[in-house]
Amino acid sequence: QVQLAESGGDSVQAGTSLTLSCEASRFSVGDYCMGWFRQAPGKDREGIASSDRAGRTSYADSVKGRFSISKDNAKNILYLQMNSLKPEDTGVYYCAADETYWCGGGWSATGRYDYWGQGTQVTVSS
């Protein structure tokens, strides 16, 4: 079955950078809509970034200009480069896969994604 495995989470200081990876099995990250989400303690899971088959990307306003989503199609890995981290970026980060080619305007809706990873913890201290 499809498996998504996140890695790269850590405890870091504010202002530093971190790169998360999501390795996919039995699912081609380059062919479909892929998303990164995060869930802070006591809050709903929110969409952070998405990337579709055409390479079009979308970002939440809170991370625009700081985070970057990318794919290595050869390795079948989805990445999230996070720069200038803030304490409010703290949370569990999940990657998700949707069996459609295009993400579109509804990219941040959790219900549209078919597969989820187990999450990786990112803690940013001030």
Side-chain angles (χ1 to χ4, degrees):
Q1 70 275 18
V2 173
Q3 291 186 326
L4 302 173
E6 303 95 336
S7 61
D10 203 351
S11 295
V12 296
Q13 293 288 319
T16 60
S17 298
L18 203 58
T19 301
L20 305 183
S21 301
C22 172
E23 189 168 353
S25 301
R26 294 181 175 148
F27 193 91
S28 177
V29 300
D31 288 341
Y32 299 98
C33 173
M34 300 293 297
W36 280 103
F37 291 76
R38 75 180 172 203
Q39 189 163 19
K43 294 189 177 181
D44 292 337
R45 195 170 297 187
E46 61 171 338
I48 297 301
S50 70
S51 177
D52 68 15
R53 181 185 178 96
R56 291 174 295 207
T57 58
S58 296
Y59 295 93
D61 288 343
S62 60
V63 304
K64 276 181 183 176
R66 298 189 298 123
F67 290 13
S68 178
I69 187 172
S70 63
K71 299 175 181 179
D72 185 327
N73 293 341
K75 295 181 178 179
N76 209 28
I77 297 176
L78 180 74
Y79 297 102
L80 183 68
Q81 173 68 42
M82 305 185 293
N83 299 324
S84 302
L85 283 162
K86 304 176 181 180
E88 50 264 43
D89 294 321
T90 293
V92 179
Y93 282 70
Y94 300 89
C95 69
D98 178 9
E99 290 182 314
T100 59
Y101 293 157
W102 322 118
C103 296
W107 66 271
S108 62
T110 56
R112 67 173 289 169
Y113 290 87
D114 302 293
Y115 308 102
W116 292 84
Q118 81 289 348
T120 187
Q121 176 70 44
V122 173
T123 302
V124 184
S125 57
S126 57

